[in-house]
């Protein structure tokens, strides 16, 4: 109990340090200035004109049914559907000079849209006297019936005199099989803003959408409807969602895009954590994407589809491949009408909360009790959560908390998701795994332990758990055959709807507790002489670049831990973490991924053979000099 309390306190201390440092770097106060702002509440004719008909301003009675704010909007048609063909431009006739690039000039506006086949809207820009150029994506099909908030970067036009316009295009699609029009495009609160574009860390969306932006409709921020989706945010009142009330529409392909930020150095183990809840229909899915600068978007997460079993789960994405780069992340949602699906082909969608950029040590304790939460574990594709169980076994094996596919009620289907351990250090060799578990699976559903190897491949370890365990039971795995190649452990859960099963095809699922690892580290014995006392030598060479050797002595059989910390007290490496017989030992610390500076290494040893040597703790300083 004493060790578990210390472990929990250490985790809280590390998390406090990380939050403090990241808030200093990313959460600075933001002063936003407005160059100009159009609400359509007065008489806009002094600043705007219409070319090609269609556009109006006033109170909407169709489409969204109301303005985003106030009473008035600009719209292709305020009442009913637009006509076709049309190429109609709403133009701001008052040109303006774009602020300098250092002020991050951007165009922001709220819009609602619903178009039919072949029709779209887009934003265009021109330097005075030149041709119009598109500066937005084409907004087509639907924004899922919600007001959304895009952001258009104007820095490419910094210090230029420009005009902007909103172009609406409609065309009759021959053979479309019905009316080929829709309610159209509605605009509100159009503004050019200046000032910092910073990433709040963490981002809980409690102050609204902030500097995030919806690329092509659908995304909104606020309080989830109490009768829909998760019915609440994960934390606080607000979250981001494809749609907060009701179901998303289709077809949709839209990102919720973060502000740009710089990924910390690889030595800081940068990773992105977020909580999410999702339910998608056939053919619909979501992913996390990233781009460097203004480059192409790249997928960096699993594909989230089907269902997350109706629970909020914690996702984990390693950002170290993008270390030191200026990036943006995006929550990408995609929906498509599956022809012949036999019913409504939509669902409640994707809800995201507490998006957090985390740095520092990745904590992998010898025993994980989950008493302080999910920590550096994660749910791969929804379903997994950590807390107090109220169904299934109705209690954890030990303490209050455990991990479970679902803590309350039954899992959903279809599901394929792993509960993932933190990544293992390359210095650790995994000897064994032991855990307690309780499970109940229905026909076709099962759980199994898997190991992720250096190749990135997952390998299943027998046995496969099916049916029911009835009670908490203990499982042990000898991993010595893989100990030099394991990089992660996964508890893999699979559920599938068995057609014709004659009733509900689910059960209470899989509950995991007290996950214990046995590790061997890269340490070598120097000679056969048994020392009489504990001893920790000064590393050599010191200063060093990039590696150094550390020697130590153990007089009796002891469990030894040798760890390296940075000047803030954050753990950066585990060099030894195992029981050693009496002897003198040597290990190597490689600082190739660390920045220059002062570090500390600490040896903790606790006698395990009943002798008189007791325990030992000593810390020494080492200097990495590039």
């Amino acid at each position: 109990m004493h060790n578990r309390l210390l472990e929990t306190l250490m985790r809280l201390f590390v998390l406090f340090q990380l939050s403090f440092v990241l808030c200093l770097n990313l959460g600075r106060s933001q002063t936003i200035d407005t160059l100009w702002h159009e609400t359509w509440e007065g008489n806009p004719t002094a600043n705007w004109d219409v070319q090609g008909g269609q556009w109006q301003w006033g109170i909407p009675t169709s489409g969204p049914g109301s303005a985003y704010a106030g009473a008035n909007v600009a719209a292709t048609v305020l009442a009913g559907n637009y006509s076709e063909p049309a190429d109609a431009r709403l133009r701001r006739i008052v040109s303006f000079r774009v602020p300098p690039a250092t002020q991050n000039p951007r165009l922001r506006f709220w819009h609602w849209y619903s178009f039919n086949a072949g029709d779209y809207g887009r934003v265009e820009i021109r330097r005075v006297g030149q041709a119009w150029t598109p500066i937005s994506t084409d907004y087509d099909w639907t924004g899922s019936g919600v007001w959304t908030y895009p952001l258009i970067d104007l820095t490419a036009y910094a210090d230029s005199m420009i005009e902007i316009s909103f172009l609406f295009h409609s065309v009759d699609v021959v053979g479309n099989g019905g009316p080929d029009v829709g309610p159209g495009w509605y605009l509100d609160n159009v503004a050019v803003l200046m000032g910092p574009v910073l990433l709040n860390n963490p981002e809980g969306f409690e102050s609204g959408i902030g500097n995030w932006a919806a690329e092509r409709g659908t995304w909104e921020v606020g309080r989830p409807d109490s009768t829909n989706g998760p019915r609440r945010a994960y934390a606080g009142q607000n979250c981001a969602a494809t749609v907060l009330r009701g179901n998303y529409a289709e077809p949709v392909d839209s990102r919720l895009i973060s502000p740009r930020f710089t990924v910390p150095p690889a030595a800081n183990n940068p990773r992105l954590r977020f909580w999410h809840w999702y339910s998608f229909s056939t053919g619909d899915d979501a992913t996390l994407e990233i781009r460097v600068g203004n480059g192409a978007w790249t997928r960096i997460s699993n594909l989230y589809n089907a269902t997350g079993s109706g629970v909020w789960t914690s996702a984990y994405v390693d950002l170290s491949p993008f270390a030191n780069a200026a990036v943006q992340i995006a929550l990408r949602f995609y929906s498509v009408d599956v022809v012949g699906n036999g019913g409504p082909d939509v669902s409640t969608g994707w809800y995201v909360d507490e998006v957090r950029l985390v740095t520092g040590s990745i904590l992998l304790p010898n025993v994980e009790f989950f008493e302080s939460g999910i920590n550096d574990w994660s749910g791969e594709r929804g379903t997994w959560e950590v807390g107090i169980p109220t169904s299934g076994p109705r209690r954890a094996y030990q303490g209050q908390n455990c991990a479970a596919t679902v803590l309350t009620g039954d899992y959903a289907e279809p599901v394929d998701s792993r509960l993932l351990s933190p990544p293992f250090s390359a210095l650790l060799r995994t000897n064994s795994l032991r855990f307690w578990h309780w499970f109940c699976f229905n026909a076709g559903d099962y759980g199994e332990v898997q190991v992720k190897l250096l190749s990135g491949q997952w390998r299943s370890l027998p046995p496969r758990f099916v049916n029911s365990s009835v009670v908490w039971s203990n499982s042990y795995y000898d991993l010595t055959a893989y100990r030099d190649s394991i990089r992660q452990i996964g508890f893999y859960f699979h559920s599938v709807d068995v057609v014709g099963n004659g009733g509900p095809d689910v059960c209470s699922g899989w509950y995991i507790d007290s996950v214990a690892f046995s590790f061997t580290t890269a340490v070598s014995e120097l000679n056969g002489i048994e020392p009489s006392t504990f001893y920790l030598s000064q590393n050599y060479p010191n200063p060093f670049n990039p590696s150094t050797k550390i020697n130590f002595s153990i007089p009796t059989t002891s469990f030894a831990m040798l760890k390296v910390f940075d000047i803030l007290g954050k753990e950066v490496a585990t060099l030894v973490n195992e029981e050693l017989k009496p002897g003198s030992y040597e290990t190597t610390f490689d600082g190739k991924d660390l920045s220059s500076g002062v570090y500390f290494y600490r040896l903790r040893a606790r006698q395990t053979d009943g002798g008189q040597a007791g325990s030992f703790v000593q810390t020494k300083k080492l200097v990495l000099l590039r």
Side-chain angles (χ1 to χ4, degrees), residues 121-334:
R122 70 182 179 213
V123 183
E124 296 191 338
I125 194 170
R126 69 176 179 184
R127 290 183 171 88
V128 173
Q130 297 184 13
W132 289 105
T133 301
I135 55 168
S136 76
T137 186
D138 286 352
Y139 306 117
D140 56 9
W141 292 110
T142 175
S144 288
V146 298
W147 284 95
T148 59
Y149 197 43
L151 180 152
I152 298 174
D153 183 10
L154 298 179
T155 55
Y157 296 86
D159 303 311
S160 297
M161 290 295 294
I162 66 161
E163 297 175 355
I164 64 161
S165 67
F166 296 87
L167 175 69
F168 166 64
H169 170 83
S170 67
V171 61
D172 184 17
V173 177
V174 177
N176 198 44
D180 192 24
V181 292
W185 200 9
Y186 296 73
L187 305 173
D188 205 356
N189 283 11
V190 183
V192 171
L193 304 181
M194 305 169 289
V197 185
L198 301 178
L199 176 71
N200 292 326
N201 191 46
E203 179 57 88
F205 301 105
E206 294 304 305
S207 301
I209 197 168
N211 286 318
W212 292 67
E215 182 187 44
R216 298 177 71 239
T218 298
W219 287 98
E220 53 181 343
V221 166
R223 184 181 298 186
D225 187 88
S226 60
T227 62
N228 195 68
R231 295 178 170 81
R232 61 173 179 82
Y234 171 73
Q237 299 292 320
N238 288 358
C239 66
T242 45
V243 176
L244 289 166
R245 295 161 188 83
N247 294 334
Y248 57 79
E250 55 189 13
V252 169
D253 190 354
S254 184
R255 298 175 177 92
L256 180 65
I257 302 173
S258 79
R260 185 170 281 110
F261 64 96
T262 300
V263 178
N268 293 344
N269 298 310
R271 62 252 191 212
L272 191 75
R273 303 298 308 254
F274 60 94
W275 289 87
H276 64 152
W277 186 108
Y278 63 87
S279 177
F280 301 125
S281 191
T282 307
D284 308 334
D285 55 57
T287 58
L288 185 75
E289 297 183 335
I290 195 169
R291 70 174 176 186
V292 178
N294 293 318
W297 289 103
T298 302
R299 186 175 122 188
I300 55 171
S301 77
N302 295 289
L303 186 71
Y304 307 121
N305 57 13
T307 175
S309 288
V311 298
W312 284 95
T313 57
S314 179
Y316 174 112
V317 179
D318 179 18
L319 295 183
S320 58
F322 303 92
N324 305 310
V327 304
Q328 290 174 286
I329 59 168
L331 306 165
R332 183 179 183 179
F333 168 65
Y334 173 83

Side-chain angles (χ1 to χ4, degrees), residues 263-420:
V263 178
N268 293 344
N269 298 310
R271 62 252 191 212
L272 191 75
R273 303 298 308 254
F274 60 94
W275 289 87
H276 64 152
W277 186 108
Y278 63 87
S279 177
F280 301 125
S281 191
T282 307
D284 308 334
D285 55 57
T287 58
L288 185 75
E289 297 183 335
I290 195 169
R291 70 174 176 186
V292 178
N294 293 318
W297 289 103
T298 302
R299 186 175 122 188
I300 55 171
S301 77
N302 295 289
L303 186 71
Y304 307 121
N305 57 13
T307 175
S309 288
V311 298
W312 284 95
T313 57
S314 179
Y316 174 112
V317 179
D318 179 18
L319 295 183
S320 58
F322 303 92
N324 305 310
V327 304
Q328 290 174 286
I329 59 168
L331 306 165
R332 183 179 183 179
F333 168 65
Y334 173 83
S335 69
V336 62
D337 184 16
V338 176
V339 177
N341 198 42
D345 192 26
V346 293
S347 190
T348 41
W350 199 15
Y351 296 72
V352 179
D353 203 359
E354 292 299 299
V355 182
R356 186 186 299 263
L357 176 63
V358 181
T359 60
S361 300
I362 299 171
L363 299 176
L364 180 64
N366 287 81
V367 183
E368 179 60 84
F369 299 101
F370 299 107
E371 293 304 303
S372 54
I374 198 165
N375 303 315
D376 279 319
W377 292 68
S378 61
E380 182 186 44
R381 297 177 68 240
T383 298
W384 289 97
E385 54 180 344
V386 166
I388 300 173
T390 59
S391 59
R394 301 187 182 279
R395 63 174 180 83
Y397 171 73
Q398 190 171 358
Q400 297 290 318
N401 288 359
C402 66
T405 46
V406 177
L407 290 166
T408 302
D410 294 337
Y411 57 78
E413 53 190 14
V415 170
D416 279 289
S417 184
R418 297 176 181 93
L419 174 65
L420 297 172

Side-chain angles (χ1 to χ4, degrees), residues 584-605:
S584 296
Y585 295 89
E586 180 177 87
T587 187
T588 300
F589 171 53
D590 191 341
K592 68 179 185 303
D593 294 326
L594 298 176
S595 56
S596 296
V598 175
Y599 294 85
F600 300 89
Y601 59 102
R602 178 182 300 150
L603 175 65
R604 291 182 180 271

